[in-house]
Amino acid sequence: MPFEALMGIDPLSLPASVYAANMWGYKAANFDPCVVASGTLVPSKGRLYLQRNYTPLSISATALVVEVFTAGSGLTAGQNFGCLYTGDGSLLGVTTDASTGLASAGTTTLTLASGPITIPAGYFYTGFWINGTTAPTLGRAGTTGKSLVYGNAPAATARFVYGTASGVTTTAPATLPSLTLDSRPWWVGVV
């Protein structure tokens, strides 16, 4: 039985992305994994990529999930991580080093280092950064123009953004840096 029903919430009253994530066995996902596709774009090295999510209830997270289509190579040990931030930009937690997991194709689970981590109800961000010789090709939806995806929405409320500062290596920023709209919708699930 879906957790929403157990909590006395009508699942159909939830945003589609929240209800659907539960149907696929995730506690949250930034969009339907059925539209995840491969492509030739790879994340820029040392850039913090973020995906805005929503949960109507507080959830306990133990890991993030990404799809690796083309394995990374020469990834720098201790410089490849996933992370979670609150909707107001405070760091909730970071995964263990993902260098090995991102060097193999397939569905990759990035375990949260100090998990489980409580994500409060409301908006939150999943994120990741990658460093090494060749970054992996990660699952994403089709690349579209920013104006089509966001309309007039500011970066602070956009679904897909990246930190303007590059050079993120061993440590996640304690708070979100300045954000820029991103037309690359990377898929990340929460378990």
Side-chain angles (χ1 to χ4, degrees):
M1 176 177 288
F3 76 88
E4 296 91 349
L6 291 171
M7 300 300 292
I9 298 171
D10 175 9
L12 298 179
S13 69
L14 299 172
S17 62
V18 173
Y19 177 60
N22 184 251
M23 290 184 354
W24 304 310
Y26 298 104
K27 294 180 181 177
N30 54 335
F31 59 86
D32 186 337
C34 292
V35 299
V36 170
S38 179
T40 57
L41 294 174
V42 294
S44 296
K45 296 171 188 164
R47 175 163 278 165
L48 177 61
Y49 290 94
L50 298 154
Q51 305 78 39
R52 192 169 188 238
N53 296 269
Y54 178 79
T55 179
L57 304 169
S58 174
I59 56 177
S60 178
T62 58
L64 303 179
V65 179
V66 297
E67 186 67 22
V68 178
F69 281 96
T70 303
S73 65
L75 297 176
T76 306
Q79 293 189 17
N80 298 278
F81 295 91
C83 55
L84 286 168
Y85 285 89
T86 62
D88 64 3
S90 299
L91 182 65
L92 285 170
V94 178
T95 67
T96 58
D97 180 28
S99 300
T100 300
L102 296 173
S104 299
T107 304
T108 302
T109 300
L110 311 175
T111 303
L112 290 161
S114 298
I117 292 174
T118 300
I119 301 171
Y123 287 101
F124 69 97
Y125 290 93
T126 55
F128 64 86
W129 71 91
I130 296 170
N131 288 287
T133 305
T134 305
T137 302
L138 298 177
R140 60 179 178 79
T143 302
T144 59
K146 292 178 191 173
S147 60
L148 175 64
V149 174
Y150 302 114
N152 294 321
T157 61
R159 291 176 62 193
F160 308 103
V161 293
Y162 60 84
T164 54
S166 58
V168 180
T169 57
T170 60
T171 306
T175 58
L176 289 180
S178 297
L179 302 174
T180 298
L181 296 175
D182 192 359
S183 60
R184 294 163 292 184
W186 307 107
W187 182 86
V188 178
V190 178
V191 292

